[in-house]
């Protein structure tokens, strides 16, 4: 409403026309427009800062008798007015005649995009390369790799020997020789007690033989092959006990286990080369474990003499002497042990021959366990068991011949 006398209402001639609109009568239109209000939420209407200039005013009779001032759009806005003037950019509003549709729906894109464009992209600087580790000058770090966060495994004796081009023969050493001597003494004492007492250390020897042979051939864990070889050894022991220690039980069990290994290998889906390699390793492991059962078929006194001779030969071979000298010393020590133990049995002086024969087979087993850069695990399995397992046929044959 206004304070002027009542006049007829001017007709409304459309949305875009605004008939009778005089820009001179509205000085507020010439002023710079206020920045557009940002809206909150998706699809929320934008308040128009010039809405009070174009608000339709009734000039007829109303119930109110006083003039009501027009309500500004700023009073109904949800957010405070934007303080900063939008910079020249994508969403800048120029001084133009008022367009309600453009002002109502034009979003405020200007400032964020202008800031993003005004800052040029700077690629990240490459991280400085870590300095290469330097080896200590005193040579204390020889045999070790460079230090890393994940850690490096220590170079083993076999890996160092292979890298340096040294001989592939690495002798087991004194510790495996001590274990061989301990197991030989157990076999010798158990044989003096009886057949079933001998069965306990013999089963341990056969298990070590099967596992050590597979590890010596680089096949690990090879649970199926080890289990098959050990099962053949147990079957041979059972056949010996049932047949009153007849050597035919060893030959029959060995033939059956070779056939069984062949059938299982043919059922494998591995490559032909791998199947052939696995077949040979399985047959050899089973054969060695079964042949070790010869202690059970041999005479008890022969087992006593032969096991002690092998124990002495293994320890003498591990002495820090040149290889030819240590071999001679081992044979002489085994013959002397055979004479000493044979004098307490019916073998007498012939125990020297039995001890020397068993020592020769034991040294061959040690040589096999030391071949092709063996690891410490090979030394403590094959290096312990192969000397005693290889000496079993000699103990049986020489014991029958010299009895």
């Amino acid at each position: 409403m206004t304070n002027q006398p009542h006049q007829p209402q001017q007709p409304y001639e459309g949305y875009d026309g605004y008939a009778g609109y005089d820009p001179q009568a509205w000085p507020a239109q010439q002023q710079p427009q206020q920045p557009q209000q940002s809206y909150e939420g998706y699809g929320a209407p934008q308040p128009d800062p010039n809405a009070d200039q174009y608000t339709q005013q009734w000039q007829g009779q109303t119930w109110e008798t006083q003039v009501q001032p027009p309500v500004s759009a700023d009073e109904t806005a949800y957010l405070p007015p934007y303080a900063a003037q939008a910079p020249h950019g994508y969403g800048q509003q120029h001084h133009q005649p008022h367009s309600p549709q453009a002002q109502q729906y034009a979003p405020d894109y200007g400032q964020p995009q202008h800031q993003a464009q005004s800052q040029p992209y700077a690629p990240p600087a490459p991280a400085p390369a870590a300095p290469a580790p330097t080896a200590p000058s005193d040579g204390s770090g020889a045999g070790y790799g460079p230090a890393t966060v994940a850690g490096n495994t220590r170079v083993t004796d076999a890996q160092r020997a292979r890298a340096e081009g040294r001989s592939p023969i690495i002798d087991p050493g004194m510790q495996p020789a001590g274990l061989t001597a301990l197991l030989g003494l157990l076999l010798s004492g158990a044989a003096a007690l009886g057949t079933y007492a001998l069965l306990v250390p013999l089963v341990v020897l056969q298990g070590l033989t099967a596992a050590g042979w597979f590890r010596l051939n680089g096949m690990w864990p090879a649970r199926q092959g080890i289990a098959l070889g050990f099962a053949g050894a147990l079957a041979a022991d059972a056949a010996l006990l049932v047949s009153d220690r007849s050597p035919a039980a060893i030959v029959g069990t060995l033939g059956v286990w070779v056939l069984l290994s062949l059938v299982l290998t043919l059922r494998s889906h591995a490559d032909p080369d791998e199947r052939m390699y696995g077949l040979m390793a399985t047959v050899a492991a089973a054969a060695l474990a079964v042949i070790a059962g010869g202690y059970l078929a041999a005479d008890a006194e022969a087992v006593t003499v032969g096991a002690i001779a092998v124990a002495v030969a293994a320890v003498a071979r591990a002495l820090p002497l040149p290889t030819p000298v240590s071999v001679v010393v081992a044979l002489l020590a085994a013959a002397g042990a055979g004479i000493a133990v044979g004098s307490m049995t019916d073998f007498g002086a012939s125990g020297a021959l039995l001890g020397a024969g068993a020592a020769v087979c034991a040294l061959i087993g040690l040589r096999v366990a030391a071949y092709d850069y063996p690891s410490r695990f090979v030394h403590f399995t094959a290096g312990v068991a192969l000397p005693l397992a290889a000496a079993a046929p000699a103990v049986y044959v020489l014991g029958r011949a010299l009895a």
Side-chain angles (χ1 to χ4, degrees):
M1 294 182 61
T2 60
N3 295 327
Q4 298 178 359
H6 175 71
Q7 295 179 0
Q9 184 176 356
Q10 299 294 332
Y12 183 76
E13 296 183 0
Y15 184 82
D16 296 331
Y18 292 104
Y21 169 70
D22 187 5
Q24 300 296 333
W26 302 92
Q29 179 65 19
Q30 303 299 330
Q31 299 178 359
Q33 298 181 3
Q34 297 181 357
Q36 184 178 355
Q37 302 293 331
S38 60
Y39 53 92
E40 180 179 8
Y42 180 81
Q46 177 110 10
D48 189 357
N50 298 322
D52 55 342
Q53 300 178 7
Y54 309 108
T55 303
Q56 186 176 2
Q57 299 180 2
W58 295 93
Q59 297 183 3
Q61 296 293 333
T62 61
W63 294 101
E64 297 291 339
T65 58
Q66 296 180 357
V67 178
Q68 297 294 335
V71 180
S72 174
D74 295 339
E75 299 178 5
T76 61
Y78 293 99
L79 296 176
Y82 205 90
Q85 181 71 21
H88 295 283
Y90 177 80
Q92 183 180 4
Q93 298 179 0
H94 299 282
H95 181 67
Q96 298 175 354
H98 177 68
S99 177
Q101 293 180 352
Q103 186 168 355
Q104 183 176 358
Y105 298 104
D108 188 7
Y109 297 117
Q111 187 170 356
Q113 291 188 3
H114 182 74
Q115 292 178 355
Q117 296 176 1
S118 61
Q119 298 178 358
Y121 172 75
T134 58
S137 57
D138 55 355
S140 59
Y144 295 89
T148 60
V149 177
N152 291 335
T153 58
R154 183 175 181 177
V155 178
T156 62
D157 295 338
Q159 293 174 348
R160 184 182 296 107
R162 187 187 298 270
E164 295 176 358
R166 291 186 293 173
S167 173
I169 304 298
I170 301 177
D171 294 325
M174 185 57 70
Q175 292 180 352
L179 293 177
T180 302
L182 177 61
L183 188 56
L185 292 177
L186 291 176
L187 287 171
S188 177
L193 296 177
T195 302
Y196 291 97
L198 177 62
L199 194 61
V200 176
L202 180 61
V203 169
V204 176
L205 172 63
Q206 290 170 331
L208 285 176
T209 302
W213 184 259
F214 273 95
R215 191 65 183 92
L216 180 63
N217 287 269
M219 303 177 66
W220 191 257
R223 299 181 181 91
Q224 181 179 357
I226 294 174
L228 185 62
F230 185 63
L234 295 180
D237 295 342
L240 284 171
L241 294 176
V242 171
S243 63
D244 195 15
R245 300 191 300 176
S246 173
I250 296 179
V251 178
T253 304
L254 186 58
V256 171
W257 242 251
V258 170
L259 181 61
L260 181 60
S261 301
L262 180 61
V263 172
L264 292 178
T265 303
L266 292 177
R267 292 173 56 88
S268 176
H269 298 286
D271 296 335
D273 295 339
E274 294 182 1
R275 284 189 294 178
M276 180 59 66
Y277 190 63
L279 175 62
M280 299 304 296
T282 303
V283 170
L288 289 172
V290 170
I291 288 175
Y295 288 110
L296 198 60
D299 185 71
E301 292 181 352
V303 174
T304 302
V305 175
I308 291 181
V310 171
V312 173
V315 174
R317 179 64 179 85
L319 295 176
L321 298 173
T323 301
V325 177
S326 64
V327 170
V328 174
V329 170
L331 292 176
L332 293 177
I339 295 176
V341 178
S343 61
M344 296 183 293
T345 62
D346 295 338
F347 284 97
S350 61
L353 183 60
L354 176 61
V360 170
C361 295
L363 293 180
I364 294 175
L366 277 175
R367 187 69 169 183
V368 172
Y371 184 70
D372 197 14
Y373 303 103
S375 63
R376 295 295 293 171
F377 188 85
V378 174
H379 285 165
F380 280 95
T381 52
V384 172
L386 284 184
L388 289 169
V395 171
Y396 174 79
V397 172
L398 293 177
R400 289 293 182 95
L402 299 174

